[in-house]
Coordinates of all heavy atoms in Angstrom, one line a residue:
N1 N -10.5 3.7 1.2 CA -11.7 4.3 0.7 C -11.6 5.8 0.9 O -11.7 6.3 2.0 CB -12.9 3.8 1.4 CG -13.1 2.3 1.1 OD1 -12.7 1.8 0.1 ND2 -13.8 1.7 2.0
Y2 N -11.5 6.6 -0.2 CA -11.4 8.0 0.0 C -12.0 8.7 -1.2 O -12.2 8.2 -2.3 CB -10.1 8.6 0.3 CG -9.0 8.4 -0.8 CD1 -9.0 9.3 -1.8 CD2 -8.1 7.4 -0.8 CE1 -8.0 9.2 -2.9 CE2 -7.2 7.2 -1.8 CZ -7.2 8.1 -2.8 OH -6.2 8.0 -3.8
I3 N -12.4 10.0 -1.0 CA -12.9 10.9 -2.0 C -12.0 12.1 -2.0 O -11.7 12.6 -0.9 CB -14.4 11.3 -1.7 CG1 -15.3 10.1 -1.6 CG2 -14.9 12.4 -2.7 CD1 -16.7 10.5 -1.1
E4 N -11.7 12.6 -3.1 CA -10.7 13.7 -3.2 C -11.3 14.8 -4.1 O -12.1 14.5 -5.0 CB -9.4 13.2 -3.8 CG -8.2 13.9 -3.4 CD -6.9 13.2 -3.8 OE1 -6.6 13.2 -5.0 OE2 -6.3 12.6 -2.9
G5 N -11.0 16.0 -3.8 CA -11.5 17.1 -4.6 C -10.7 18.4 -4.3 O -9.8 18.4 -3.5
D6 N -11.1 19.5 -4.9 CA -10.5 20.7 -4.6 C -11.5 21.9 -4.8 O -12.5 21.7 -5.5 CB -9.2 21.0 -5.5 CG -9.5 20.9 -7.0 OD1 -10.4 21.6 -7.4 OD2 -8.8 20.1 -7.7
C7 N -11.1 23.0 -4.3 CA -12.0 24.2 -4.4 C -11.1 25.4 -4.3 O -10.0 25.3 -3.8 CB -13.1 24.2 -3.4 SG -12.6 24.1 -1.7
I8 N -11.6 26.5 -4.8 CA -10.9 27.8 -4.7 C -11.6 28.7 -3.7 O -12.8 28.9 -3.9 CB -10.7 28.4 -6.1 CG1 -9.9 27.5 -7.0 CG2 -10.1 29.8 -6.0 CD1 -9.7 28.0 -8.4
F9 N -10.9 29.3 -2.8 CA -11.4 30.3 -1.9 C -10.8 31.6 -2.3 O -9.6 31.8 -2.4 CB -11.0 30.0 -0.4 CG -11.6 28.7 0.1 CD1 -10.9 27.5 0.1 CD2 -12.9 28.8 0.7 CE1 -11.5 26.4 0.6 CE2 -13.5 27.6 1.1 CZ -12.8 26.4 1.1
Q10 N -11.7 32.6 -2.6 CA -11.3 33.9 -3.0 C -11.7 34.9 -1.9 O -12.8 35.1 -1.6 CB -11.9 34.3 -4.3 CG -11.4 35.5 -4.9 CD -11.9 35.8 -6.3 OE1 -12.5 34.9 -6.9 NE2 -11.5 36.9 -6.8
K11 N -10.6 35.5 -1.3 CA -10.8 36.5 -0.3 C -11.2 37.9 -0.9 O -12.1 38.6 -0.4 CB -9.6 36.7 0.6 CG -9.8 37.6 1.7 CD -8.8 37.4 2.8 CE -9.0 38.4 3.9 NZ -9.0 37.8 5.2
N12 N -10.6 38.2 -2.0 CA -10.9 39.4 -2.7 C -10.4 39.2 -4.2 O -10.0 38.1 -4.5 CB -10.3 40.7 -2.1 CG -8.8 40.6 -2.0 OD1 -8.1 40.2 -2.9 ND2 -8.2 40.9 -0.8
Q13 N -10.5 40.2 -5.0 CA -10.1 40.0 -6.4 C -8.7 39.7 -6.6 O -8.3 39.3 -7.7 CB -10.6 41.2 -7.3 CG -9.9 42.5 -7.0 CD -10.5 43.6 -7.8 OE1 -11.6 44.0 -7.5 NE2 -9.7 44.1 -8.7
F14 N -7.8 39.9 -5.6 CA -6.4 39.7 -5.7 C -5.9 38.5 -5.0 O -4.8 38.0 -5.3 CB -5.6 41.0 -5.2 CG -6.0 42.2 -6.0 CD1 -6.7 43.2 -5.4 CD2 -5.5 42.4 -7.3 CE1 -7.0 44.4 -6.1 CE2 -5.8 43.6 -8.0 CZ -6.6 44.6 -7.4
L15 N -6.6 38.0 -4.1 CA -6.2 36.9 -3.2 C -7.1 35.7 -3.3 O -8.3 35.8 -3.0 CB -6.1 37.4 -1.7 CG -5.6 36.4 -0.7 CD1 -4.1 36.0 -1.0 CD2 -5.6 37.0 0.7
W16 N -6.5 34.6 -3.7 CA -7.3 33.4 -3.7 C -6.3 32.2 -3.4 O -5.1 32.3 -3.5 CB -8.0 33.1 -5.0 CG -7.0 33.2 -6.2 CD1 -6.6 34.2 -7.0 CD2 -6.3 32.1 -6.8 NE1 -5.7 33.9 -7.9 CE2 -5.5 32.5 -7.8 CE3 -6.2 30.7 -6.4 CZ2 -4.7 31.7 -8.6 CZ3 -5.4 29.9 -7.2 CH2 -4.7 30.4 -8.3
L17 N -6.9 31.1 -2.9 CA -6.2 30.0 -2.5 C -6.9 28.7 -3.0 O -8.1 28.6 -3.0 CB -6.2 29.9 -1.0 CG -4.9 29.7 -0.2 CD1 -4.2 31.0 -0.2 CD2 -5.2 29.2 1.1
K18 N -6.1 27.8 -3.6 CA -6.7 26.6 -4.1 C -6.4 25.5 -3.0 O -5.3 25.3 -2.6 CB -6.0 26.1 -5.4 CG -6.8 24.9 -5.9 CD -6.4 24.7 -7.4 CE -7.2 23.5 -7.9 NZ -6.8 23.2 -9.3
V19 N -7.5 24.9 -2.5 CA -7.4 24.0 -1.4 C -7.8 22.6 -1.9 O -8.9 22.5 -2.5 CB -8.3 24.4 -0.2 CG1 -8.3 23.3 0.9 CG2 -7.9 25.7 0.3
M20 N -7.0 21.6 -1.6 CA -7.4 20.2 -2.0 C -7.8 19.5 -0.7 O -7.2 19.7 0.3 CB -6.2 19.5 -2.6 CG -6.4 18.2 -3.2 SD -5.0 17.7 -4.2 CE -5.5 16.2 -4.8
F21 N -8.8 18.7 -0.9 CA -9.3 17.9 0.3 C -9.4 16.4 0.0 O -9.5 16.1 -1.2 CB -10.6 18.5 0.8 CG -11.7 18.3 -0.2 CD1 -12.5 17.2 -0.2 CD2 -12.0 19.4 -1.0 CE1 -13.5 17.1 -1.1 CE2 -13.0 19.2 -2.0 CZ -13.8 18.1 -2.0
R22 N -9.3 15.7 1.0 CA -9.4 14.2 0.9 C -10.3 13.8 2.1 O -9.9 14.1 3.3 CB -8.1 13.5 0.9 CG -8.3 12.0 0.8 CD -7.0 11.2 0.8 NE -6.4 11.4 -0.6 CZ -5.2 10.9 -0.9 NH1 -4.5 10.2 0.0 NH2 -4.7 11.1 -2.1
L23 N -11.4 13.1 1.8 CA -12.2 12.5 2.9 C -11.9 11.0 2.9 O -12.1 10.3 1.9 CB -13.7 12.7 2.6 CG -14.1 14.1 2.3 CD1 -15.5 14.2 1.8 CD2 -13.9 15.0 3.5
D24 N -11.4 10.5 4.0 CA -10.9 9.1 4.1 C -11.7 8.4 5.1 O -11.7 8.7 6.3 CB -9.4 9.2 4.5 CG -8.8 7.8 4.3 OD1 -9.4 6.8 4.5 OD2 -7.6 7.8 4.0
R25 N -12.4 7.3 4.7 CA -13.1 6.4 5.6 C -12.3 5.2 5.8 O -12.0 4.4 4.9 CB -14.5 6.0 5.0 CG -15.3 5.2 5.9 CD -16.6 4.8 5.3 NE -16.4 3.7 4.4 CZ -17.2 3.3 3.5 NH1 -18.4 3.9 3.4 NH2 -16.9 2.3 2.7
N26 N -11.8 5.1 7.0 CA -10.7 4.0 7.3 C -11.0 3.4 8.6 O -11.5 4.0 9.5 CB -9.4 4.7 7.3 CG -8.3 3.8 7.0 OD1 -8.2 2.7 7.4 ND2 -7.3 4.3 6.2
N27 N -10.7 2.1 8.7 CA -10.8 1.3 10.0 C -9.7 1.4 10.9 O -9.7 1.0 12.0 CB -11.1 -0.2 9.6 CG -12.4 -0.4 9.0 OD1 -13.4 0.4 9.3 ND2 -12.6 -1.4 8.2
S28 N -8.6 2.0 10.4 CA -7.4 2.2 11.3 C -6.9 3.7 11.2 O -7.4 4.4 10.4 CB -6.3 1.3 10.8 OG -5.9 1.5 9.5
S29 N -6.0 4.0 12.1 CA -5.5 5.4 12.2 C -4.7 5.7 10.9 O -4.1 4.8 10.3 CB -4.6 5.6 13.4 OG -5.4 5.4 14.6
I30 N -4.8 7.0 10.5 CA -4.1 7.5 9.3 C -2.6 7.7 9.8 O -2.4 8.4 10.8 CB -4.7 8.7 8.8 CG1 -6.2 8.5 8.4 CG2 -3.9 9.3 7.6 CD1 -6.4 7.5 7.3
D31 N -1.6 7.2 9.0 CA -0.2 7.4 9.4 C 0.5 8.4 8.5 O -0.1 9.0 7.6 CB 0.5 6.0 9.3 CG 0.5 5.4 7.9 OD1 0.2 6.1 7.0 OD2 0.9 4.2 7.8
S32 N 1.7 8.6 8.8 CA 2.5 9.7 8.1 C 2.7 9.3 6.6 O 2.7 10.2 5.8 CB 3.9 9.8 8.8 OG 4.6 8.6 8.8
K33 N 2.7 8.1 6.3 CA 2.8 7.7 4.9 C 1.6 8.2 4.1 O 1.7 8.7 3.0 CB 2.9 6.2 4.8 CG 3.1 5.6 3.4 CD 3.3 4.1 3.3 CE 3.3 3.7 1.9 NZ 3.4 2.2 1.8
A34 N 0.4 8.1 4.7 CA -0.8 8.5 4.0 C -0.8 10.1 3.9 O -1.2 10.6 2.8 CB -2.0 8.1 4.8
V35 N -0.3 10.8 4.9 CA -0.2 12.2 4.8 C 0.8 12.6 3.7 O 0.5 13.5 2.9 CB 0.2 12.8 6.2 CG1 0.5 14.3 6.1 CG2 -0.8 12.5 7.2
R36 N 2.0 11.9 3.6 CA 2.9 12.2 2.6 C 2.3 11.9 1.2 O 2.6 12.7 0.2 CB 4.2 11.4 2.8 CG 5.1 12.0 3.8 CD 6.5 11.4 3.8 NE 6.5 9.9 4.0 CZ 6.5 9.3 5.2 NH1 6.4 10.1 6.3 NH2 6.4 8.0 5.3
G37 N 1.6 10.9 1.1 CA 1.0 10.5 -0.2 C 0.0 11.6 -0.6 O -0.1 12.0 -1.8
F38 N -0.8 12.1 0.3 CA -1.7 13.2 0.0 C -1.0 14.5 -0.4 O -1.3 15.1 -1.4 CB -2.6 13.5 1.2 CG -3.6 14.6 1.0 CD1 -4.5 14.6 -0.1 CD2 -3.7 15.6 1.9 CE1 -5.4 15.6 -0.2 CE2 -4.6 16.6 1.8 CZ -5.4 16.7 0.7
R39 N 0.1 14.8 0.3 CA 0.9 15.9 -0.1 C 1.5 15.8 -1.5 O 1.5 16.7 -2.3 CB 2.0 16.2 0.9 CG 2.8 17.4 0.6 CD 3.9 17.7 1.7 NE 3.3 18.2 2.9 CZ 3.4 17.6 4.1 NH1 4.1 16.5 4.2 NH2 2.8 18.1 5.1
T40 N 1.9 14.6 -1.9 CA 2.4 14.3 -3.2 C 1.3 14.6 -4.2 O 1.5 15.2 -5.3 CB 2.9 12.9 -3.3 OG1 4.0 12.7 -2.4 CG2 3.4 12.6 -4.7
A41 N 0.1 14.2 -3.9 CA -1.1 14.4 -4.8 C -1.4 15.9 -5.0 O -1.8 16.4 -6.0 CB -2.3 13.6 -4.3
M42 N -1.1 16.6 -3.9 CA -1.4 18.1 -3.9 C -0.4 18.9 -4.7 O -0.7 19.9 -5.3 CB -1.3 18.6 -2.4 CG -2.4 18.2 -1.5 SD -2.0 18.7 0.2 CE -1.5 20.4 0.0
R43 N 0.8 18.4 -4.8 CA 1.9 19.1 -5.4 C 1.6 19.6 -6.8 O 1.2 18.8 -7.7 CB 3.2 18.3 -5.4 CG 4.5 19.1 -5.6 CD 5.7 18.3 -5.3 NE 5.8 18.0 -3.9 CZ 6.1 16.8 -3.4 NH1 6.2 15.8 -4.2 NH2 6.2 16.7 -2.1
G44 N 1.7 20.9 -7.0 CA 1.4 21.5 -8.3 C -0.1 21.7 -8.5 O -0.5 22.3 -9.5
H45 N -1.0 21.3 -7.6 CA -2.4 21.4 -7.8 C -3.1 22.2 -6.7 O -4.3 22.6 -6.9 CB -3.1 20.0 -7.8 CG -2.5 19.1 -8.9 ND1 -2.8 19.3 -10.2 CD2 -1.7 18.1 -8.9 CE1 -2.2 18.4 -11.0 NE2 -1.5 17.6 -10.2
A46 N -2.4 22.4 -5.6 CA -3.1 23.1 -4.5 C -2.1 23.9 -3.6 O -0.9 23.6 -3.6 CB -3.9 22.2 -3.6
D47 N -2.6 24.9 -2.9 CA -1.7 25.7 -2.0 C -1.8 25.2 -0.6 O -0.9 25.3 0.2 CB -2.2 27.2 -2.0 CG -2.2 27.8 -3.4 OD1 -1.1 27.8 -4.0 OD2 -3.3 28.2 -3.8
K48 N -2.9 24.6 -0.2 CA -3.1 24.0 1.1 C -3.9 22.7 0.9 O -4.6 22.5 -0.1 CB -3.9 24.9 2.0 CG -3.1 26.1 2.4 CD -3.8 26.9 3.5 CE -2.8 28.0 4.0 NZ -2.8 28.2 5.4
G49 N -4.0 21.9 2.0 CA -4.7 20.6 1.9 C -5.5 20.4 3.2 O -5.1 20.9 4.3
V50 N -6.6 19.7 3.1 CA -7.4 19.3 4.3 C -7.6 17.8 4.2 O -8.1 17.3 3.2 CB -8.7 20.0 4.3 CG1 -9.5 19.6 5.6 CG2 -8.6 21.5 4.3
L51 N -7.2 17.1 5.2 CA -7.3 15.6 5.2 C -8.3 15.3 6.4 O -8.0 15.6 7.5 CB -5.9 15.0 5.4 CG -5.9 13.5 5.5 CD1 -6.5 12.8 4.2 CD2 -4.4 13.0 5.5
I52 N -9.4 14.7 6.0 CA -10.5 14.4 7.0 C -10.6 12.9 7.0 O -10.7 12.2 6.0 CB -11.8 15.0 6.5 CG1 -11.7 16.5 6.3 CG2 -12.9 14.7 7.5 CD1 -12.8 17.2 5.7
T53 N -10.7 12.3 8.3 CA -10.9 10.9 8.4 C -12.0 10.6 9.4 O -12.3 11.4 10.3 CB -9.6 10.2 8.9 OG1 -9.8 8.8 9.0 CG2 -9.1 10.7 10.2
T54 N -12.6 9.5 9.2 CA -13.6 9.0 10.2 C -13.0 8.3 11.4 O -13.6 7.8 12.2 CB -14.6 8.0 9.5 OG1 -13.9 7.0 8.9 CG2 -15.5 8.8 8.5
N55 N -11.6 8.2 11.3 CA -10.9 7.6 12.4 C -10.0 8.6 13.1 O -10.4 9.8 13.3 CB -10.1 6.4 11.9 CG -9.8 5.3 12.9 OD1 -9.4 5.6 14.0 ND2 -10.2 4.1 12.6
T56 N -8.7 8.3 13.3 CA -7.8 9.2 14.0 C -6.5 9.3 13.2 O -6.3 8.5 12.2 CB -7.5 8.8 15.4 OG1 -7.0 7.4 15.4 CG2 -8.7 8.8 16.3
F57 N -5.6 10.1 13.7 CA -4.3 10.3 13.0 C -3.2 9.8 14.1 O -3.3 10.1 15.2 CB -4.0 11.7 12.6 CG -4.9 12.2 11.6 CD1 -6.0 13.0 11.9 CD2 -4.6 11.9 10.2 CE1 -6.9 13.4 10.9 CE2 -5.5 12.4 9.2 CZ -6.6 13.1 9.6
T58 N -2.2 9.2 13.6 CA -1.1 8.8 14.5 C -0.3 10.0 14.8 O -0.4 11.1 14.1 CB -0.1 7.8 13.8 OG1 0.5 8.4 12.6 CG2 -0.9 6.5 13.4
M59 N 0.6 10.0 15.8 CA 1.4 11.1 16.2 C 2.4 11.5 15.0 O 2.6 12.6 14.8 CB 2.2 10.8 17.4 CG 1.4 10.7 18.7 SD 0.4 12.2 19.0 CE 1.7 13.4 19.4
D60 N 2.9 10.4 14.3 CA 3.8 10.7 13.2 C 3.0 11.4 12.1 O 3.6 12.3 11.4 CB 4.3 9.4 12.6 CG 5.4 8.8 13.5 OD1 5.9 9.5 14.4 OD2 5.8 7.6 13.3
A61 N 1.8 11.1 11.9 CA 0.9 11.8 10.8 C 0.8 13.3 11.2 O 0.8 14.1 10.4 CB -0.4 11.1 10.7
K62 N 0.5 13.5 12.5 CA 0.3 14.9 13.0 C 1.6 15.7 12.8 O 1.6 16.9 12.4 CB -0.1 14.9 14.4 CG -1.5 14.4 14.6 CD -1.8 14.3 16.1 CE -3.2 13.6 16.3 NZ -3.5 13.5 17.7
W63 N 2.8 15.1 13.1 CA 4.0 15.7 12.9 C 4.2 16.0 11.4 O 4.7 17.1 11.0 CB 5.2 14.9 13.4 CG 6.5 15.5 13.2 CD1 7.1 16.4 14.0 CD2 7.4 15.3 12.1 NE1 8.3 16.8 13.5 CE2 8.5 16.1 12.3 CE3 7.3 14.5 10.9 CZ2 9.5 16.2 11.4 CZ3 8.4 14.6 10.0 CH2 9.5 15.4 10.2
E64 N 4.0 15.0 10.5 CA 4.2 15.2 9.1 C 3.3 16.3 8.5 O 3.8 17.1 7.7 CB 3.8 13.9 8.4 CG 4.0 13.9 6.9 CD 5.5 14.1 6.4 OE1 6.4 13.6 7.1 OE2 5.6 14.8 5.4
A65 N 2.1 16.5 9.0 CA 1.2 17.5 8.5 C 1.6 18.9 8.9 O 1.3 19.8 8.2 CB -0.2 17.2 9.0
T66 N 2.4 19.0 9.9 CA 2.8 20.4 10.4 C 4.3 20.6 10.2 O 4.8 21.7 10.6 CB 2.5 20.5 11.9 OG1 3.2 19.5 12.6 CG2 1.0 20.4 12.2
R67 N 5.0 19.8 9.5 CA 6.4 19.9 9.2 C 6.6 21.2 8.4 O 5.8 21.6 7.5 CB 6.8 18.7 8.3 CG 8.3 18.4 8.4 CD 8.6 17.0 7.9 NE 7.9 16.6 6.7 CZ 8.5 16.7 5.5 NH1 9.7 17.3 5.3 NH2 7.8 16.3 4.4
K68 N 7.7 21.9 8.7 CA 8.0 23.2 8.0 C 8.6 22.9 6.6 O 9.0 21.9 6.3 CB 9.0 24.0 8.8 CG 8.5 24.4 10.2 CD 9.5 25.4 10.8 CE 9.1 25.8 12.2 NZ 7.8 26.4 12.3
D69 N 8.4 24.0 5.8 CA 9.0 24.0 4.4 C 8.3 23.0 3.5 O 8.9 22.5 2.5 CB 10.5 23.7 4.4 CG 11.2 24.8 5.2 OD1 10.8 26.0 5.2 OD2 12.2 24.5 5.8
V70 N 7.1 22.6 3.8 CA 6.3 21.7 2.9 C 4.9 22.3 2.8 O 4.5 23.1 3.6 CB 6.2 20.2 3.4 CG1 7.6 19.6 3.3 CG2 5.7 20.1 4.8
L71 N 4.1 21.8 1.9 CA 2.7 22.3 1.8 C 1.9 22.0 3.0 O 2.0 20.8 3.5 CB 2.0 21.6 0.6 CG 2.5 22.0 -0.8 CD1 1.9 21.1 -1.9 CD2 2.1 23.4 -1.1
P72 N 1.2 22.9 3.6 CA 0.5 22.7 4.8 C -0.7 21.8 4.6 O -1.4 21.9 3.6 CB 0.1 24.1 5.3 CG 0.1 24.9 4.1 CD 1.1 24.3 3.1
I73 N -1.0 21.0 5.6 CA -2.2 20.1 5.6 C -2.9 20.2 6.9 O -2.3 20.0 8.0 CB -1.8 18.6 5.3 CG1 -1.1 18.5 3.9 CG2 -3.0 17.7 5.4 CD1 -0.6 17.1 3.6
K74 N -4.1 20.5 6.9 CA -5.0 20.5 8.1 C -5.6 19.2 8.3 O -6.1 18.6 7.3 CB -6.1 21.6 7.9 CG -7.1 21.5 9.0 CD -7.2 22.8 9.7 CE -8.3 22.8 10.7 NZ -7.8 22.9 12.1
L75 N -5.4 18.6 9.5 CA -6.0 17.3 9.8 C -7.3 17.4 10.6 O -7.3 18.2 11.6 CB -5.0 16.5 10.6 CG -3.6 16.2 10.0 CD1 -2.7 15.4 10.9 CD2 -3.7 15.6 8.6
I76 N -8.3 16.7 10.2 CA -9.5 16.7 10.9 C -9.9 15.2 11.2 O -10.2 14.5 10.2 CB -10.6 17.4 10.1 CG1 -10.3 18.9 9.9 CG2 -12.0 17.3 10.9 CD1 -11.2 19.6 9.0
D77 N -9.9 14.8 12.4 CA -10.2 13.5 12.8 C -11.7 13.4 13.2 O -12.4 14.4 13.1 CB -9.3 12.9 13.9 CG -9.5 13.7 15.2 OD1 -10.5 14.4 15.4 OD2 -8.7 13.4 16.1
R78 N -12.1 12.2 13.5 CA -13.6 12.0 13.8 C -14.1 12.8 14.9 O -15.2 13.3 14.9 CB -13.9 10.5 14.1 CG -13.3 10.0 15.3 CD -13.6 8.5 15.5 NE -12.9 8.0 16.6 CZ -12.6 6.7 16.7 NH1 -12.8 5.9 15.8 NH2 -11.9 6.3 17.8
F79 N -13.2 13.1 15.9 CA -13.6 13.9 17.1 C -13.8 15.4 16.7 O -14.8 16.0 17.0 CB -12.6 13.8 18.2 CG -12.4 12.4 18.7 CD1 -11.2 11.7 18.4 CD2 -13.4 11.7 19.3 CE1 -11.0 10.4 18.8 CE2 -13.3 10.3 19.7 CZ -12.1 9.7 19.4
K80 N -12.9 15.9 15.9 CA -13.0 17.3 15.4 C -14.2 17.4 14.5 O -14.9 18.4 14.5 CB -11.7 17.7 14.8 CG -11.7 19.1 14.3 CD -11.7 20.1 15.4 CE -11.6 21.5 14.9 NZ -11.8 22.5 15.9
L81 N -14.4 16.4 13.6 CA -15.5 16.4 12.7 C -16.8 16.5 13.4 O -17.7 17.3 13.0 CB -15.4 15.2 11.7 CG -16.4 15.1 10.6 CD1 -16.2 16.3 9.7 CD2 -16.2 13.8 9.8
I82 N -17.0 15.7 14.4 CA -18.2 15.7 15.2 C -18.4 17.0 15.9 O -19.5 17.6 15.9 CB -18.2 14.5 16.3 CG1 -18.3 13.2 15.6 CG2 -19.3 14.7 17.3 CD1 -18.1 12.0 16.4
E83 N -17.3 17.6 16.4 CA -17.4 18.9 17.0 C -17.8 20.0 16.0 O -18.7 20.8 16.3 CB -16.0 19.3 17.6 CG -15.9 20.6 18.2 CD -14.5 20.9 18.7 OE1 -13.8 20.0 19.3 OE2 -14.0 22.0 18.4
M84 N -17.3 19.9 14.8 CA -17.6 20.9 13.8 C -19.1 20.7 13.3 O -19.8 21.8 13.1 CB -16.7 20.7 12.6 CG -15.2 21.1 12.9 SD -14.1 20.6 11.6 CE -14.4 21.8 10.3
I85 N -19.5 19.5 13.2 CA -20.9 19.3 12.8 C -21.9 19.8 13.9 O -22.9 20.4 13.6 CB -21.2 17.8 12.5 CG1 -20.4 17.4 11.2 CG2 -22.6 17.5 12.3 CD1 -20.3 16.0 10.9
N86 N -21.6 19.5 15.1 CA -22.4 20.0 16.2 C -22.5 21.5 16.3 O -23.5 22.0 16.7 CB -21.9 19.4 17.6 CG -22.2 18.0 17.8 OD1 -23.2 17.4 17.2 ND2 -21.4 17.3 18.6
K87 N -21.5 22.2 15.9 CA -21.5 23.7 15.9 C -22.4 24.2 14.8 O -22.9 25.3 14.9 CB -20.1 24.2 15.8 CG -19.3 24.1 17.0 CD -17.9 24.8 16.9 CE -17.1 24.7 18.1 NZ -15.8 25.3 18.0
L88 N -22.6 23.4 13.8 CA -23.5 23.8 12.7 C -25.0 23.8 13.2 O -25.8 24.5 12.8 CB -23.4 23.0 11.5 CG -22.1 23.1 10.7 CD1 -22.0 22.1 9.6 CD2 -22.0 24.5 10.2

């Protein structure tokens, strides 16, 4: 169960970034296969990605998201999400 979308962040008239996001409601931890699948969906459509889950990420998923020479993906698990909401 997930929702996917994208948005454009413009810093100034010369610099902008297209960011794709996926919100994933899952009963189990998100693994590296899911991160690779999201990266495949991003290819050609976004400069960066944000993957948010109501659960957690496996260690392999965390490694996959930070691997060099691929599109970067920021991971936000339920703990980080709660922290971010509380700061609002």
Side-chain angles (χ1 to χ4, degrees):
N1 295 337
Y2 65 84
I3 299 170
E4 211 168 72
D6 57 53
C7 55
I8 296 176
F9 292 97
Q10 187 169 356
K11 184 161 179 135
N12 58 45
Q13 69 186 65
F14 300 107
L15 180 62
W16 56 270
L17 230 78
K18 189 166 185 186
V19 178
M20 189 170 182
F21 62 89
R22 179 179 285 178
L23 308 171
D24 194 325
R25 188 180 75 192
N26 206 318
N27 291 330
S28 59
S29 294
I30 303 297
D31 62 12
S32 59
K33 182 179 177 183
V35 175
R36 282 192 301 275
F38 179 52
R39 183 175 287 119
T40 299
M42 289 171 48
R43 198 167 291 130
H45 301 287
D47 303 302
K48 290 190 176 221
V50 180
L51 182 52
I52 304 168
T53 183
T54 55
N55 208 308
T56 58
F57 295 97
T58 64
M59 290 305 293
D60 286 346
K62 292 175 184 179
W63 179 85
E64 181 63 37
T66 59
R67 207 163 42 95
K68 295 191 185 298
D69 301 325
V70 293
L71 291 171
I73 297 175
K74 170 121 177 115
L75 302 180
I76 300 175
D77 65 12
R78 66 179 175 210
F79 303 109
K80 182 68 175 172
L81 185 59
I82 290 169
E83 178 185 314
M84 293 168 73
I85 291 170
N86 284 334
K87 284 184 180 180
L88 290 175

